């Protein structure tokens, strides 16, 4: 697949709010943990910062390299073809001990959604893939090989789908599934979806929840987010800033809990988060409230409607280890 250079017209969600939260200055080192089409990176480079951009999607990295070539190979853009959970290792390999900012834009990117061949959306029929890194088991592999109970659990846990067992039974009965259109049709039929109903009684396409759930499972997204937040805590220097844009409640819940606990507000209780010992010196301060897009941005960019930004400032306390004690 041939990658195209990121378009100048690409505008990531909450761009101005993210830029303000990071407060990047000339000479700062910033990590764009989810490079995608490079929207945040472009603005950060314009601020004079050096950006270490991470992405596990080979297409995003290839497009970034092409973009770099057309822009004169700016040495302030350093691309890392790896998961953002590995950002500490990637920076260490580049000789970087600490950075002034880390930004995450969690979930599937517009570039991935807009390519039917990647299988992330059901607006256009395509192969049932959904793999961000383009390797490992695909969505089709999972849906065609997992047992009914596992499928139901994934739909319930990651899609918050109350009818998960009914859908799982329908999936098993319809196997093999090979395209996004087939998967969406099975979910709709199982739930009696009526697309002909318009107006106030119109239903949201129920396939949305199931697609979200399978995508999160195939890519291990929630575990990746937890690891990425811990890595950001490790690499940020005192006064450095973390900014996280998420797009649904499961992600935002993890981010909110992480920042509150890191600021010393509450003890760890989430099953999604590493257990933290009590009375640990706060490693973040000034955690923001949830920041939502303006009505104008939502009108301009429908993808922004579910976005939430949270950010905080790193203190001088040592980073916590997985048991919650100060790391040596």
């Amino acid at each position: 697949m041939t990658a195209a250079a990121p378009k100048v017209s690409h505008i990531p969600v909450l761009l101005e709010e993210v830029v303000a939260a990071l407060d990047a200055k000339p000479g700062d080192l910033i990590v764009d943990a989810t490079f995608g089409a490079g929207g945040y990176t472009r603005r950060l480079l314009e601020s004079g910062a050096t950006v270490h951009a991470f992405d596990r999607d080979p297409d995003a990295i290839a497009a970034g390299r092409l973009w770099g070539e057309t822009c004169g190979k700016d040495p302030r853009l350093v691309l890392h073809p790896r998961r953002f959970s590995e950002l500490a290792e990637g920076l260490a390999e580049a000789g970087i001990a600490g950075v002034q900012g880390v930004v995450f834009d969690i979930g599937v990117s517009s570039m991935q959604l807009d390519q039917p061949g990647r299988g992330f959306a059901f607006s256009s029929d395509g192969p049932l893939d959904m793999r961000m890194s383009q390797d490992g088991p695909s969505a089709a592999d999972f849906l065609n090989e997992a047992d009914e109970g596992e499928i139901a659990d994934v739909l319930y846990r990651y899609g918050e789908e109350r009818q998960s067992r009914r859908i799982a039974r329908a999936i098993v009965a319809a196997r093999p599934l090979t395209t996004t259109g087939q998967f969406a049709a099975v979910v709709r039929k199982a739930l009696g979806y009526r697309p002909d109903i318009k107006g106030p009684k119109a239903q949201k396409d129920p396939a949305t929840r199931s697609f979200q759930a399978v995508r999160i499972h195939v890519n291990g997204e929630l575990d990746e987010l937890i690891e990425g937040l811990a890595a950001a805590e490790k690499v940020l220097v005192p006064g450095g800033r973390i900014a996280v844009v998420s797009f649904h409640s499961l992600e935002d819940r993890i981010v909110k809990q992480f920042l509150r606990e890191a600021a010393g507000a509450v003890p760890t209780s989430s099953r999604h988060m590493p257990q933290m010992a009590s009375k640990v010196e706060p490693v973040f301060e000034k955690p923001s409230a949830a920041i939502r897009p303006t009505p104008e941005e939502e009108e301009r960019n429908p993808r922004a409607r579910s976005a939430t930004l949270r950010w905080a400032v790193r203190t001088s306390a040592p980073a916590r280890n997985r048991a919650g004690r100060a790391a040596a």
Side-chain angles (χ1 to χ4, degrees):
M1 186 179 295
T2 301
K7 298 178 180 179
V8 175
S9 60
H10 171 75
I11 304 296
V13 301
L14 292 164
L15 175 61
E16 300 304 327
E17 292 84 351
V18 165
V19 169
L22 292 173
D23 191 27
K25 298 176 175 60
D28 281 355
L29 298 178
I30 307 292
V31 170
D32 185 344
T34 47
F35 177 63
Y40 293 140
T41 288
R42 190 182 300 275
R43 283 292 299 273
L44 292 166
L45 290 172
E46 290 173 355
S47 74
T50 291
V51 179
H52 284 259
F54 287 71
D55 208 300
R56 62 166 132 172
D57 189 335
D59 285 356
I61 294 297
R65 287 174 177 152
L66 180 59
W67 172 30
E69 290 173 2
T70 59
C71 295
K73 295 185 178 180
D74 190 338
R76 294 181 299 116
L77 172 59
V78 183
L79 296 167
H80 297 263
R82 59 198 306 169
R83 296 169 177 265
F84 60 66
S85 59
E86 301 170 345
L87 67 87
E89 294 86 345
L91 292 173
E93 290 173 9
I96 304 298
V99 299
Q100 283 72 38
V102 180
V103 57
F104 297 87
D105 180 0
I106 303 302
V108 65
S109 73
S110 297
M111 291 172 63
Q112 292 163 334
L113 286 171
D114 292 342
Q115 298 179 52
R118 300 296 302 275
F120 286 101
F122 52 84
S123 53
S124 298
D125 199 20
L128 195 50
D129 193 321
M130 301 192 192
R131 296 171 298 176
M132 292 180 176
S133 59
Q134 301 186 40
D135 61 9
S138 68
D141 293 329
F142 168 67
L143 292 173
N144 290 323
E145 297 172 9
D147 63 39
E148 182 180 312
E150 184 180 0
I151 294 172
D153 287 346
V154 165
L155 298 181
Y156 182 79
R157 184 180 305 119
Y158 300 138
E160 301 178 298
E161 175 55 73
R162 295 181 180 180
Q163 301 297 323
S164 60
R165 297 195 181 280
R166 179 185 298 181
I167 296 171
R169 284 196 298 271
I171 288 170
V172 171
R175 296 196 297 204
L177 300 176
T178 60
T179 71
T180 56
Q182 289 175 322
F183 180 29
V186 168
V187 175
R188 292 165 181 155
K189 183 177 180 181
L191 299 183
Y193 175 58
R194 294 281 305 279
D196 55 310
I197 298 177
K198 308 297 182 182
K201 295 184 178 181
Q203 299 172 274
K204 179 181 179 180
D205 195 321
T208 302
R209 294 189 296 273
S210 292
F211 265 71
Q212 170 189 296
V214 173
R215 188 203 81 220
I216 289 173
H217 173 73
V218 166
N219 294 290
E221 292 179 39
L222 298 190
D223 288 339
E224 181 76 2
L225 173 57
I226 292 167
E227 295 293 332
L229 294 172
E233 177 181 322
K234 181 178 179 181
V235 302
L236 281 167
V237 300
R241 298 180 174 217
I242 184 173
V244 187
V245 177
S246 60
F247 289 87
H248 62 74
S249 59
L250 294 176
E251 297 167 345
D252 182 55
R253 199 175 303 149
I254 289 173
V255 176
K256 179 181 179 180
Q257 184 84 354
F258 173 84
L259 292 178
R260 291 187 67 197
E261 290 167 3
V266 293
T268 297
S269 58
S270 171
R271 62 185 176 87
H272 291 299
M273 299 300 295
Q275 290 299 310
M276 298 297 180
S278 59
K279 298 182 180 179
V280 174
E281 186 179 359
V283 294
F284 282 101
E285 62 182 357
K286 304 175 184 177
S288 73
I291 298 171
R292 303 275 297 139
T294 63
E296 292 76 17
E297 180 174 4
E298 291 183 3
E299 180 68 23
R300 186 172 64 252
N301 182 6
R303 181 174 179 254
R305 291 173 184 167
S306 58
T308 301
L309 166 65
R310 296 182 187 274
W311 63 273
V313 180
R314 186 69 168 86
T315 70
S316 60
R320 302 164 295 174
N321 65 17
R322 307 308 281 171
R325 297 180 295 273

Tab-separated table of all heavy atoms in Angstrom, residues 56-105:
chain	number	residue	atom	x	y	z
A	56	ARG	N	2.510	2.810	15.496
A	56	ARG	CA	2.709	1.394	15.153
A	56	ARG	C	2.208	1.060	13.758
A	56	ARG	O	2.447	-0.043	13.263
A	56	ARG	CB	2.015	0.498	16.173
A	56	ARG	CG	0.515	0.647	16.281
A	56	ARG	CD	-0.065	-0.522	17.065
A	56	ARG	NE	-0.982	-0.113	18.109
A	56	ARG	CZ	-1.720	-0.962	18.823
A	56	ARG	NH1	-1.634	-2.250	18.587
A	56	ARG	NH2	-2.518	-0.526	19.764
A	57	ASP	N	1.504	1.998	13.116
A	57	ASP	CA	0.953	1.770	11.781
A	57	ASP	C	2.030	2.073	10.730
A	57	ASP	O	2.467	3.215	10.606
A	57	ASP	CB	-0.261	2.671	11.560
A	57	ASP	CG	-1.017	2.340	10.283
A	57	ASP	OD1	-0.408	1.789	9.346
A	57	ASP	OD2	-2.219	2.642	10.217
A	58	PRO	N	2.454	1.071	9.961
A	58	PRO	CA	3.487	1.323	8.949
A	58	PRO	C	3.089	2.391	7.935
A	58	PRO	O	3.949	3.129	7.439
A	58	PRO	CB	3.655	-0.045	8.266
A	58	PRO	CG	3.168	-1.041	9.264
A	58	PRO	CD	2.056	-0.350	10.007
A	59	ASP	N	1.798	2.501	7.622
A	59	ASP	CA	1.357	3.515	6.661
A	59	ASP	C	1.594	4.917	7.196
A	59	ASP	O	1.986	5.827	6.460
A	59	ASP	CB	-0.132	3.339	6.336
A	59	ASP	CG	-0.392	2.158	5.412
A	59	ASP	OD1	0.577	1.524	4.970
A	59	ASP	OD2	-1.577	1.871	5.148
A	60	ALA	N	1.346	5.121	8.488
A	60	ALA	CA	1.544	6.443	9.082
A	60	ALA	C	3.019	6.821	9.064
A	60	ALA	O	3.374	7.968	8.758
A	60	ALA	CB	1.006	6.469	10.512
A	61	ILE	N	3.885	5.879	9.389
A	61	ILE	CA	5.322	6.150	9.389
A	61	ILE	C	5.811	6.426	7.968
A	61	ILE	O	6.602	7.362	7.728
A	61	ILE	CB	6.093	4.974	10.009
A	61	ILE	CG1	5.751	4.843	11.500
A	61	ILE	CG2	7.598	5.152	9.813
A	61	ILE	CD1	6.150	6.041	12.354
A	62	ALA	N	5.342	5.631	7.000
A	62	ALA	CA	5.748	5.847	5.609
A	62	ALA	C	5.302	7.212	5.122
A	62	ALA	O	6.052	7.928	4.433
A	62	ALA	CB	5.169	4.755	4.708
A	63	ALA	N	4.075	7.612	5.476
A	63	ALA	CA	3.589	8.931	5.086
A	63	ALA	C	4.394	10.029	5.757
A	63	ALA	O	4.688	11.067	5.156
A	63	ALA	CB	2.107	9.068	5.450
A	64	GLY	N	4.788	9.816	7.023
A	64	GLY	CA	5.604	10.794	7.727
A	64	GLY	C	6.973	10.961	7.095
A	64	GLY	O	7.494	12.072	7.010
A	65	ARG	N	7.552	9.868	6.650
A	65	ARG	CA	8.853	9.963	5.979
A	65	ARG	C	8.744	10.700	4.658
A	65	ARG	O	9.615	11.505	4.306
A	65	ARG	CB	9.416	8.553	5.778
A	65	ARG	CG	9.915	7.919	7.072
A	65	ARG	CD	10.328	6.482	6.881
A	65	ARG	NE	10.880	5.942	8.140
A	65	ARG	CZ	10.841	4.668	8.482
A	65	ARG	NH1	10.278	3.780	7.670
A	65	ARG	NH2	11.364	4.273	9.630
A	66	LEU	N	7.678	10.436	3.917
A	66	LEU	CA	7.457	11.142	2.661
A	66	LEU	C	7.249	12.623	2.918
A	66	LEU	O	7.782	13.482	2.199
A	66	LEU	CB	6.246	10.545	1.939
A	66	LEU	CG	5.864	11.173	0.594
A	66	LEU	CD1	7.016	11.068	-0.392
A	66	LEU	CD2	4.608	10.496	0.038
A	67	TRP	N	6.486	12.922	3.958
A	67	TRP	CA	6.261	14.309	4.351
A	67	TRP	C	7.599	14.970	4.700
A	67	TRP	O	7.893	16.089	4.278
A	67	TRP	CB	5.313	14.335	5.545
A	67	TRP	CG	5.110	15.664	6.197
A	67	TRP	CD1	5.170	16.890	5.614
A	67	TRP	CD2	4.807	15.900	7.570
A	67	TRP	NE1	4.920	17.876	6.538
A	67	TRP	CE2	4.686	17.288	7.741
A	67	TRP	CE3	4.602	15.069	8.670
A	67	TRP	CZ2	4.389	17.861	8.979
A	67	TRP	CZ3	4.293	15.636	9.883
A	67	TRP	CH2	4.193	17.018	10.040
A	68	GLY	N	8.437	14.262	5.476
A	68	GLY	CA	9.737	14.814	5.843
A	68	GLY	C	10.609	15.105	4.642
A	68	GLY	O	11.309	16.126	4.594
A	69	GLU	N	10.558	14.228	3.638
A	69	GLU	CA	11.355	14.445	2.431
A	69	GLU	C	10.892	15.675	1.667
A	69	GLU	O	11.704	16.465	1.171
A	69	GLU	CB	11.271	13.208	1.540
A	69	GLU	CG	11.994	11.998	2.105
A	69	GLU	CD	11.757	10.754	1.294
A	69	GLU	OE1	11.051	10.849	0.254
A	69	GLU	OE2	12.249	9.681	1.676
A	70	THR	N	9.591	15.868	1.587
A	70	THR	CA	9.056	17.024	0.855
A	70	THR	C	9.267	18.324	1.626
A	70	THR	O	9.203	19.405	1.043
A	70	THR	CB	7.561	16.841	0.563
A	70	THR	OG1	6.839	16.688	1.804
A	70	THR	CG2	7.320	15.614	-0.301
A	71	CYS	N	9.501	18.215	2.931
A	71	CYS	CA	9.710	19.413	3.758
A	71	CYS	C	11.182	19.628	4.087
A	71	CYS	O	11.513	20.331	5.048
A	71	CYS	CB	8.899	19.305	5.052
A	71	CYS	SG	7.118	19.291	4.798
A	72	GLY	N	12.064	18.996	3.319
A	72	GLY	CA	13.493	19.223	3.523
A	72	GLY	C	14.123	18.441	4.649
A	72	GLY	O	15.165	18.820	5.178
A	73	LYS	N	13.502	17.319	5.022
A	73	LYS	CA	14.048	16.441	6.062
A	73	LYS	C	14.413	17.224	7.324
A	73	LYS	O	15.560	17.234	7.772
A	73	LYS	CB	15.266	15.685	5.533
A	73	LYS	CG	14.931	14.717	4.402
A	73	LYS	CD	16.142	13.895	3.983
A	73	LYS	CE	15.768	12.905	2.893
A	73	LYS	NZ	16.916	12.073	2.454
A	74	ASP	N	13.428	17.861	7.900
A	74	ASP	CA	13.617	18.633	9.123
A	74	ASP	C	14.181	17.724	10.217
A	74	ASP	O	13.549	16.732	10.604
A	74	ASP	CB	12.271	19.211	9.568
A	74	ASP	CG	12.409	20.228	10.689
A	74	ASP	OD1	13.428	20.199	11.410
A	74	ASP	OD2	11.496	21.052	10.843
A	75	PRO	N	15.374	18.019	10.747
A	75	PRO	CA	15.961	17.164	11.785
A	75	PRO	C	15.184	17.206	13.094
A	75	PRO	O	15.436	16.386	13.985
A	75	PRO	CB	17.375	17.732	11.948
A	75	PRO	CG	17.262	19.162	11.521
A	75	PRO	CD	16.252	19.153	10.399
A	76	ARG	N	14.261	18.160	13.212
A	76	ARG	CA	13.464	18.235	14.444
A	76	ARG	C	12.289	17.257	14.452
A	76	ARG	O	11.568	17.184	15.452
A	76	ARG	CB	12.951	19.665	14.643
A	76	ARG	CG	14.071	20.674	14.904
A	76	ARG	CD	13.530	22.071	15.124
A	76	ARG	NE	12.806	22.553	13.964
A	76	ARG	CZ	11.502	22.832	13.960
A	76	ARG	NH1	10.775	22.678	15.053
A	76	ARG	NH2	10.916	23.262	12.859
A	77	LEU	N	12.102	16.506	13.358
A	77	LEU	CA	11.086	15.459	13.323
A	77	LEU	C	11.792	14.112	13.322
A	77	LEU	O	12.506	13.767	12.387
A	77	LEU	CB	10.206	15.583	12.081
A	77	LEU	CG	9.222	14.417	11.838
A	77	LEU	CD1	8.272	14.257	13.021
A	77	LEU	CD2	8.443	14.631	10.544
A	78	VAL	N	11.571	13.339	14.393
A	78	VAL	CA	12.179	12.014	14.531
A	78	VAL	C	11.052	10.997	14.624
A	78	VAL	O	10.233	11.045	15.551
A	78	VAL	CB	13.070	11.928	15.787
A	78	VAL	CG1	13.747	10.566	15.853
A	78	VAL	CG2	14.091	13.057	15.799
A	79	LEU	N	10.991	10.088	13.652
A	79	LEU	CA	9.921	9.103	13.585
A	79	LEU	C	10.337	7.788	14.236
A	79	LEU	O	11.456	7.307	14.035
A	79	LEU	CB	9.522	8.844	12.132
A	79	LEU	CG	8.915	10.038	11.397
A	79	LEU	CD1	8.845	9.775	9.903
A	79	LEU	CD2	7.526	10.369	11.945
A	80	HIS	N	9.415	7.208	15.001
A	80	HIS	CA	9.655	5.934	15.676
A	80	HIS	C	8.564	4.949	15.264
A	80	HIS	O	7.414	5.100	15.679
A	80	HIS	CB	9.621	6.112	17.200
A	80	HIS	CG	10.681	7.015	17.749
A	80	HIS	ND1	11.858	6.534	18.280
A	80	HIS	CD2	10.733	8.374	17.839
A	80	HIS	CE1	12.598	7.559	18.697
A	80	HIS	NE2	11.937	8.680	18.437
A	81	PRO	N	8.885	3.939	14.453
A	81	PRO	CA	7.878	2.958	14.035
A	81	PRO	C	7.632	1.906	15.110
A	81	PRO	O	8.038	0.754	14.991
A	81	PRO	CB	8.506	2.351	12.771
A	81	PRO	CG	9.970	2.465	12.998
A	81	PRO	CD	10.177	3.733	13.783
A	82	ARG	N	6.955	2.316	16.165
A	82	ARG	CA	6.713	1.384	17.273
A	82	ARG	C	5.511	1.854	18.089
A	82	ARG	O	5.036	2.974	17.958
A	82	ARG	CB	7.951	1.250	18.147
A	82	ARG	CG	8.449	2.509	18.778
A	82	ARG	CD	9.903	2.384	19.248
A	82	ARG	NE	10.113	1.249	20.125
A	82	ARG	CZ	11.328	0.800	20.488
A	82	ARG	NH1	12.421	1.401	20.037
A	82	ARG	NH2	11.465	-0.234	21.289
A	83	ARG	N	5.033	0.971	18.943
A	83	ARG	CA	3.894	1.271	19.816
A	83	ARG	C	4.260	2.382	20.804
A	83	ARG	O	5.402	2.494	21.226
A	83	ARG	CB	3.507	0.021	20.617
A	83	ARG	CG	3.014	-1.140	19.780
A	83	ARG	CD	2.918	-2.396	20.629
A	83	ARG	NE	2.384	-3.505	19.862
A	83	ARG	CZ	1.094	-3.856	19.837
A	83	ARG	NH1	0.222	-3.193	20.581
A	83	ARG	NH2	0.681	-4.865	19.106
A	84	PHE	N	3.237	3.155	21.226
A	84	PHE	CA	3.550	4.221	22.181
A	84	PHE	C	3.797	3.678	23.575
A	84	PHE	O	4.358	4.370	24.426
A	84	PHE	CB	2.509	5.337	22.175
A	84	PHE	CG	1.091	4.939	22.521
A	84	PHE	CD1	0.752	4.483	23.778
A	84	PHE	CD2	0.075	5.087	21.582
A	84	PHE	CE1	-0.557	4.169	24.106
A	84	PHE	CE2	-1.236	4.774	21.887
A	84	PHE	CZ	-1.553	4.309	23.156
A	85	SER	N	3.412	2.442	23.850
A	85	SER	CA	3.768	1.838	25.132
A	85	SER	C	5.274	1.661	25.246
A	85	SER	O	5.807	1.486	26.346
A	85	SER	CB	3.081	0.483	25.291
A	85	SER	OG	3.450	-0.401	24.247
A	86	GLU	N	5.981	1.719	24.095
A	86	GLU	CA	7.427	1.549	24.064
A	86	GLU	C	8.158	2.886	23.922
A	86	GLU	O	9.327	2.915	23.545
A	86	GLU	CB	7.810	0.647	22.880
A	86	GLU	CG	7.162	-0.729	22.939
A	86	GLU	CD	7.349	-1.520	21.658
A	86	GLU	OE1	7.720	-0.911	20.625
A	86	GLU	OE2	7.120	-2.732	21.673
A	87	LEU	N	7.471	3.989	24.242
A	87	LEU	CA	8.096	5.286	23.985
A	87	LEU	C	9.321	5.528	24.856
A	87	LEU	O	10.280	6.184	24.424
A	87	LEU	CB	7.077	6.422	24.110
A	87	LEU	CG	6.449	6.762	25.460
A	87	LEU	CD1	7.299	7.737	26.262
A	87	LEU	CD2	5.053	7.376	25.237
A	88	ALA	N	9.354	5.001	26.067
A	88	ALA	CA	10.534	5.180	26.908
A	88	ALA	C	11.749	4.481	26.284
A	88	ALA	O	12.847	5.040	26.239
A	88	ALA	CB	10.287	4.646	28.313
A	89	GLU	N	11.533	3.259	25.782
A	89	GLU	CA	12.612	2.525	25.140
A	89	GLU	C	13.061	3.215	23.851
A	89	GLU	O	14.260	3.303	23.558
A	89	GLU	CB	12.175	1.086	24.834
A	89	GLU	CG	11.921	0.228	26.059
A	89	GLU	CD	10.511	0.357	26.612
A	89	GLU	OE1	9.801	1.310	26.232
A	89	GLU	OE2	10.122	-0.477	27.435
A	90	GLY	N	12.091	3.711	23.078
A	90	GLY	CA	12.428	4.399	21.838
A	90	GLY	C	13.244	5.654	22.076
A	90	GLY	O	14.217	5.925	21.355
A	91	LEU	N	12.862	6.420	23.086
A	91	LEU	CA	13.617	7.630	23.403
A	91	LEU	C	15.012	7.289	23.917
A	91	LEU	O	15.994	7.950	23.564
A	91	LEU	CB	12.857	8.455	24.439
A	91	LEU	CG	11.545	9.100	23.965
A	91	LEU	CD1	10.826	9.736	25.154
A	91	LEU	CD2	11.790	10.130	22.880
A	92	ALA	N	15.100	6.253	24.739
A	92	ALA	CA	16.410	5.859	25.264
A	92	ALA	C	17.348	5.462	24.131
A	92	ALA	O	18.535	5.817	24.146
A	92	ALA	CB	16.249	4.708	26.254
A	93	GLU	N	16.814	4.748	23.148
A	93	GLU	CA	17.640	4.346	22.004
A	93	GLU	C	18.116	5.563	21.213
A	93	GLU	O	19.160	5.532	20.565
A	93	GLU	CB	16.859	3.402	21.112
A	93	GLU	CG	16.637	2.028	21.738
A	93	GLU	CD	15.716	1.156	20.908
A	93	GLU	OE1	15.375	1.547	19.763
A	93	GLU	OE2	15.320	0.073	21.398
A	94	ALA	N	17.320	6.644	21.262
A	94	ALA	CA	17.699	7.877	20.570
A	94	ALA	C	18.565	8.780	21.446
A	94	ALA	O	18.909	9.902	21.034
A	94	ALA	CB	16.444	8.629	20.128
A	95	GLY	N	18.905	8.314	22.648
A	95	GLY	CA	19.749	9.095	23.545
A	95	GLY	C	19.011	10.178	24.298
A	95	GLY	O	19.629	11.122	24.795
A	96	ILE	N	17.675	10.046	24.403
A	96	ILE	CA	16.849	11.056	25.083
A	96	ILE	C	16.465	10.541	26.462
A	96	ILE	O	15.840	9.484	26.592
A	96	ILE	CB	15.569	11.369	24.280
A	96	ILE	CG1	15.918	11.821	22.862
A	96	ILE	CG2	14.732	12.419	25.004
A	96	ILE	CD1	16.735	13.079	22.794
A	97	ALA	N	16.812	11.296	27.510
A	97	ALA	CA	16.509	10.888	28.880
A	97	ALA	C	15.201	11.477	29.386
A	97	ALA	O	14.553	10.893	30.263
A	97	ALA	CB	17.649	11.290	29.805
A	98	GLY	N	14.796	12.627	28.870
A	98	GLY	CA	13.584	13.270	29.348
A	98	GLY	C	13.026	14.235	28.323
A	98	GLY	O	13.764	14.759	27.479
A	99	VAL	N	11.712	14.476	28.401
A	99	VAL	CA	11.043	15.359	27.446
A	99	VAL	C	10.134	16.338	28.195
A	99	VAL	O	9.772	16.118	29.348
A	99	VAL	CB	10.214	14.556	26.416
A	99	VAL	CG1	11.106	13.619	25.610
A	99	VAL	CG2	9.094	13.764	27.100
A	100	GLN	N	9.787	17.415	27.490
A	100	GLN	CA	8.938	18.450	28.091
A	100	GLN	C	7.446	18.216	27.873
A	100	GLN	O	6.621	18.900	28.485
A	100	GLN	CB	9.311	19.832	27.524
A	100	GLN	CG	10.571	20.424	28.116
A	100	GLN	CD	11.834	19.731	27.648
A	100	GLN	OE1	11.956	19.343	26.487
A	100	GLN	NE2	12.793	19.560	28.544
A	101	GLY	N	7.083	17.284	26.992
A	101	GLY	CA	5.665	17.057	26.745
A	101	GLY	C	5.403	15.737	26.054
A	101	GLY	O	6.248	15.242	25.309
A	102	VAL	N	4.225	15.169	26.326
A	102	VAL	CA	3.757	13.963	25.640
A	102	VAL	C	2.278	14.161	25.336
A	102	VAL	O	1.499	14.518	26.231
A	102	VAL	CB	3.938	12.694	26.489
A	102	VAL	CG1	3.435	11.462	25.720
A	102	VAL	CG2	5.385	12.499	26.909
A	103	VAL	N	1.885	13.912	24.085
A	103	VAL	CA	0.489	14.015	23.695
A	103	VAL	C	0.025	12.695	23.102
A	103	VAL	O	0.741	12.056	22.331
A	103	VAL	CB	0.251	15.174	22.693
A	103	VAL	CG1	1.099	15.034	21.436
A	103	VAL	CG2	-1.234	15.279	22.332
A	104	PHE	N	-1.173	12.269	23.498
A	104	PHE	CA	-1.810	11.066	22.978
A	104	PHE	C	-3.148	11.452	22.336
A	104	PHE	O	-3.912	12.243	22.904
A	104	PHE	CB	-2.133	10.072	24.097
A	104	PHE	CG	-0.954	9.528	24.846
A	104	PHE	CD1	-0.436	10.208	25.938
A	104	PHE	CD2	-0.392	8.302	24.505
A	104	PHE	CE1	0.626	9.696	26.668
A	104	PHE	CE2	0.670	7.780	25.220
A	104	PHE	CZ	1.188	8.473	26.308
A	105	ASP	N	-3.433	10.865	21.184
A	105	ASP	CA	-4.750	10.958	20.542
A	105	ASP	C	-5.217	9.515	20.393
A	105	ASP	O	-4.852	8.826	19.446
A	105	ASP	CB	-4.617	11.650	19.180
A	105	ASP	CG	-5.940	11.796	18.452
A	105	ASP	OD1	-6.970	11.363	18.995
A	105	ASP	OD2	-5.946	12.334	17.334
